Amino acid sequence: MTSEITLFVNPTAGGGRGARAARTAAAALRDAGFHVGTVTGDGPEDALSRARSAVEEGTGALIAVGGDGMANLALQAVVGTGTPFGLVAAGTGNDFARALGMPLREPATSGRMIADALKSGRSRDVDLGRIGDRWFGAVLASGFDSRVNDRGNRMRAPLGRFKYDVAMVAELAAFRPLPYRITLDGGAVREVEATLVAVGNGPSYGGGMRICPGADLTDGLFDITVVGECSRATLLRVFPRVYKGTHVDHPVVTVMRAASVELAAEDVTGYADGEYVGPLPLTATCVPGAVRVVGP
């Protein structure tokens, strides 16, 4: 194991926490005897290019410092290479970090944990979702939640996460169930009226909402949560239960499991790990053991 490792940093993550977390994690890694380089970039494409270069040049590990967006970008650089991936959670959502069992907003602890794993050769291979040539670690969202994302991304104000609360209220006012066509593992097409469909490699999205509470990163399958046709009042009653994952016990919710899923619906976009993927139809495949992770 080379002692040269790379931090892949979003310095603006969490309102500036990313830069502070990177300094703290780097100190912990250096204290453990590692030589630490840092990669950032002028925008996502430049950052990804620089991360891929670090991997191609033989870095001993690529460690993302930031939130789910940064973790997702790092996955694009390491998948299929055998280079270990680590994650220092310093963003707003941190759902892939939750799935991996990493500490949240504890960069010193995370740095020491990753250093210990690298020195002892402790790693594990976890599944990822793939959509075309894009990879994701946590959840592919579509429907009501993706429309909230769409609206929030178009809004200039308010700033921060509050704008998504405003966007949710606006989407509720215009809410209508959507006709979906869902195909699991190449089987028969299921036509359903649904509020949302979430494809979970990991259990949560949106900063701890356990939309797919039974999802397991090592079983080679997605958990697909379908919130069916329901009224606004029912949605408002059911949705808060997502933080504990107990929404799946409600009659309007169905959970299915499959290694691949095609989702089709009109005027619906998909977001994976909170990042825009594109309009449906989309096909996602669960790829077993796609990335090697160092950590707990």
Side-chain angles (χ1 to χ4, degrees):
M1 178 62 175
T2 177
S3 63
E4 303 280 348
I5 60 177
T6 303
L7 293 186
F8 186 36
V9 182
N10 178 2
T12 64
R17 281 193 302 269
R20 296 190 295 273
R23 290 192 293 269
T24 303
L29 289 158
R30 291 187 179 108
D31 286 346
F34 290 94
H35 299 282
V36 181
T38 300
V39 167
T40 58
D42 297 323
E45 290 185 7
D46 182 53
L48 178 56
S49 176
R50 291 170 185 262
R52 283 177 167 153
S53 294
V55 170
E56 290 168 2
E57 290 165 7
T59 187
L62 186 68
I63 301 165
V65 184
D68 287 320
M70 202 62 181
N72 182 272
L73 202 59
L75 291 175
Q76 316 308 312
V78 298
V79 69
T81 68
T83 299
F85 165 83
L87 181 54
V88 176
T92 303
N94 301 318
D95 288 291
F96 193 44
R98 284 183 175 86
L100 293 174
M102 290 299 295
L104 305 184
R105 301 179 186 172
E106 296 182 27
T109 302
S110 297
R112 289 191 294 269
M113 187 179 292
I114 291 168
D116 180 66
L118 288 169
K119 292 177 79 170
S120 65
R122 186 179 71 249
S123 66
R124 55 187 172 126
D125 294 337
V126 304
D127 307 341
L128 294 178
R130 185 180 66 204
I131 306 166
D133 61 356
R134 291 279 301 276
W135 299 83
F136 68 96
V139 176
L140 167 65
S142 72
F144 174 75
D145 42 9
S146 67
R147 288 191 167 179
V148 170
N149 254 326
D150 286 338
R151 183 181 290 268
N153 290 341
R154 293 193 301 267
M155 292 168 60
R156 294 181 179 272
L159 299 176
R161 288 184 63 85
F162 184 63
K163 71 179 180 180
Y164 293 98
D165 296 332
V166 175
M168 181 177 292
V169 172
E171 283 299 321
L172 274 172
F175 167 74
R176 295 289 186 279
L178 305 165
Y180 272 85
R181 298 178 301 282
I182 304 173
T183 307
L184 304 180
D185 293 332
V189 176
R190 307 176 187 218
E191 296 188 359
V192 299
E193 294 286 323
T195 302
L196 64 86
V197 180
V199 180
N201 183 55
S204 71
Y205 65 1
M209 294 188 289
R210 295 178 59 79
I211 188 68
C212 301
D216 183 336
L217 292 178
T218 60
D219 65 357
L221 297 171
F222 292 129
D223 277 29
I224 301 111
T225 298
V226 180
V227 179
E229 184 175 7
C230 62
S231 66
R232 292 185 188 91
T234 299
L235 182 60
L236 286 169
R237 285 196 302 271
V238 172
F239 203 76
R241 295 168 59 176
V242 76
Y243 286 97
K244 293 185 177 179
T246 57
H247 62 292
V248 296
D249 298 325
H250 194 281
V252 79
V253 179
T254 302
V255 178
M256 301 175 286
R257 307 184 79 217
S260 70
V261 55
E262 180 181 350
L263 303 179
E266 297 294 329
D267 299 320
V268 177
T269 52
Y271 285 80
D273 295 342
E275 301 297 306
Y276 176 82
V277 176
L280 273 55
L282 292 171
T283 298
T285 303
C286 185
V287 180
V291 67
R292 180 167 299 166
V293 173
V294 287

